[in-house]
Amino acid sequence: MTKIMKVTTALCLSVLLSAPAFAEAKKVKWKLAMTWPSTLTPFASPSLKVAKLVEEMSGGNFTIKVHGKEKHKAALAILDMVKNKQYEMGHSSAYYYKGKSISTAILTTVPFGMTSTEQYSWYYYGGGEAVTKKVFDKFKVNCYPGGNTGVQMGGWFKKEINTLADLKGLKMRIPGMAGEVFSKLGVNVTNIPAGELYTSLDRGTIDALEWVGPGMDIKMGFHKVAPYYYTGWHEPATELHFFVNQKAFKKLPAEYQTILTVAMKAVSADMMYENFDMSQAAWAKMQKDFPNIKVKTFSKSILDAMKKATDETMESYAKKDALFNEVYTSRKDYLKKARDWTEISEFDYVKTSQMVE
Ligand code: CA
């Protein structure tokens, strides 16, 4: 063997030995904690699907074990568990953590806010990703979109609501910003565990409640005891979120970071389609089985009062908290531009197609 051949062979060998062959890829085992029970579709779907995709795309080398609420029993402590690295990942929703930072409250959805298309466009192209990062950096956690319910219904009411006076003293389960708004309008807002909601509504412990939309409401059975189904105003695009511990993410090989990021984006969009499909099927079944259900929209005077109370609530938080103000302003500015386009495109198209029905 000549000297040049020897050197070339040695070089080739060293390249072969140093190149990470796929079979020798780094093994990574992660755990993910969800706010929801493992059986709650479609909310549990993004985590289960992300684990499957990541495992397949990494040739079985990067695995994520998913724990539902039934396992860790800490549904609303997901952010802490990811921050402390008890779990590398979590699946929850930003607004459950408003006690830690009020800015998280407006990353999920807000009354009279953006639709899911508008909100995803804001997140990926309109500055949403950067402000979300600012909010979650202080927890040393990355926060990514993790599925969307689309427009949620305004809830099930036992009696028709015609005037603002009908809201006074009404006992209703309605959490989050919308609960704050309804409180201002005189509603007696209560918080009742999910498992007791049906009985509370049936027995009149509460007069009304909101949940999600037909796809998830149908299993709860509310339509059997409260016939007035109000259209949405308060959660127009409820976003679920993936949380990822920043240190754990940094430690991942670059290709696993890409695999995880792409998988999260794919399953996030997928949950929106799954929920839409569940809702159209459930709504058709509800109407057939319970023809007495009446779909209602709140009157203009009630909606005006809700909007005023929403704006006041937002402005007061924006005055108190600079980061809240930054997210609020970013969303408000984007919504204005986005809505001008939504109105002459999707919204007008639906109206136009109704003209020829
Ligand atoms: Ca809801």
Side-chain angles (χ1 to χ4, degrees):
M1 205 183 278
T2 65
K3 198 177 173 188
I4 288 175
M5 275 176 73
K6 271 185 193 164
V7 170
T8 314
T9 312
L11 265 177
C12 284
L13 270 172
S14 78
V15 166
L16 273 173
L17 288 172
S18 64
F22 199 66
E24 294 162 15
K26 194 178 170 190
K27 296 268 183 200
V28 175
K29 286 183 183 175
W30 273 20
K31 283 189 302 176
L32 181 157
M34 297 189 285
T35 286
W36 353 96
S38 303
T39 49
L40 186 73
T41 47
F43 283 19
S45 305
S47 300
L48 300 170
K49 286 178 184 171
V50 98
K52 188 169 181 289
L53 280 175
V54 163
E55 185 168 359
E56 285 176 8
M57 286 197 279
S58 66
N61 289 307
F62 181 11
T63 56
I64 301 170
K65 201 170 190 116
V66 177
H67 288 175
K69 171 185 149 186
E70 71 282 356
K71 173 93 178 167
H72 55 71
K73 314 239 187 290
L76 300 179
I78 306 296
L79 181 57
D80 271 339
M81 294 198 291
V82 174
K83 183 177 164 232
N84 302 334
K85 234 181 139 192
Q86 280 164 270
Y87 285 86
E88 288 83 0
M89 257 182 105
H91 189 248
S92 188
S93 186
Y95 68 173
Y96 293 132
Y97 307 93
K98 72 172 190 175
K100 293 185 178 297
S101 163
I102 189 63
S103 322
T104 61
I106 42 171
L107 292 173
T108 298
T109 187
V110 289
F112 303 106
M114 292 184 262
T115 64
S116 49
T117 303
E118 291 165 347
Q119 190 167 274
Y120 275 130
S121 306
W122 167 74
Y123 181 84
Y124 289 113
Y125 296 96
E129 191 170 3
V131 290
T132 302
K133 185 170 164 26
K134 265 194 187 176
V135 172
F136 279 86
D137 267 356
K138 77 173 204 180
F139 305 111
K140 308 233 178 310
V141 162
N142 292 341
C143 173
Y144 305 84
N148 198 292
T149 66
V151 174
Q152 294 201 7
M153 289 297 279
W156 297 96
F157 290 71
K158 296 186 91 159
K159 286 187 193 142
E160 197 172 346
I161 304 296
N162 293 308
T163 63
L164 278 166
D166 295 336
L167 286 176
K168 299 259 186 292
L170 189 90
K171 280 175 281 168
M172 181 171 187
R173 179 267 179 195
I174 179 163
M177 285 279 178
E180 288 184 44
V181 169
F182 258 168
S183 254
K184 284 190 166 187
L185 302 187
V187 172
N188 183 358
V189 175
T190 61
N191 201 1
I192 292 170
E196 295 162 29
L197 280 174
Y198 176 83
T199 315
S200 303
L201 189 62
D202 187 28
R203 292 188 185 158
T205 315
I206 50 172
D207 308 303
L209 56 77
E210 74 79 49
W211 194 240
V212 182
M216 294 183 78
D217 291 7
I218 197 167
K219 285 174 256 173
M220 303 294 279
F222 305 136
H223 56 293
K224 296 173 189 167
V225 291
Y228 296 96
Y229 202 17
Y230 275 82
T231 56
W233 61 280
H234 66 308
E235 294 201 60
T238 307
E239 186 65 40
L240 311 184
H241 293 100
F242 283 114
F243 300 147
V244 178
N245 179 285
Q246 286 184 349
K247 262 193 192 158
F249 187 79
K250 259 191 204 148
K251 266 175 69 184
L252 286 177
E255 62 270 33
Y256 291 2
Q257 291 180 352
T258 304
I259 285 172
L260 180 62
T261 311
V262 169
M264 286 189 293
K265 192 167 178 178
V267 300
S268 170
D270 186 77
M271 197 210 94
M272 189 162 67
Y273 314 146
E274 185 184 9
N275 188 59
F276 186 98
D277 180 62
M278 281 171 65
S279 283
Q280 64 77 21
W283 179 231
K285 184 167 166 49
M286 275 183 194
Q287 288 182 96
K288 188 167 162 280
D289 297 349
F290 293 85
N292 63 330
I293 296 173
K294 291 175 188 69
V295 175
K296 295 277 172 187
T297 297
F298 291 111
S299 66
K300 171 138 172 58
S301 61
I302 293 177
L303 288 166
D304 282 343
M306 287 166 168
K307 178 71 167 65
K308 188 167 169 279
T310 299
D311 290 345
E312 284 168 7
T313 307
M314 295 291 176
E315 296 291 344
S316 83
Y317 283 129
K319 269 194 197 117
K320 279 184 236 156
D321 189 295
L323 194 50
F324 183 99
N325 187 45
E326 194 177 338
V327 185
Y328 173 57
T329 307
S330 168
R331 289 181 67 106
K332 204 169 59 170
D333 292 350
Y334 195 80
L335 172 59
K336 196 178 172 316
K337 293 179 283 177
R339 189 55 55 86
D340 278 352
W341 168 234
T342 303
E343 276 176 12
I344 63 159
S345 56
E346 198 140 351
F347 182 66
D348 192 80
Y349 168 71
V350 173
K351 283 195 297 178
T352 302
S353 60
Q354 282 173 335
M355 288 163 71
V356 293
E357 266 171 14

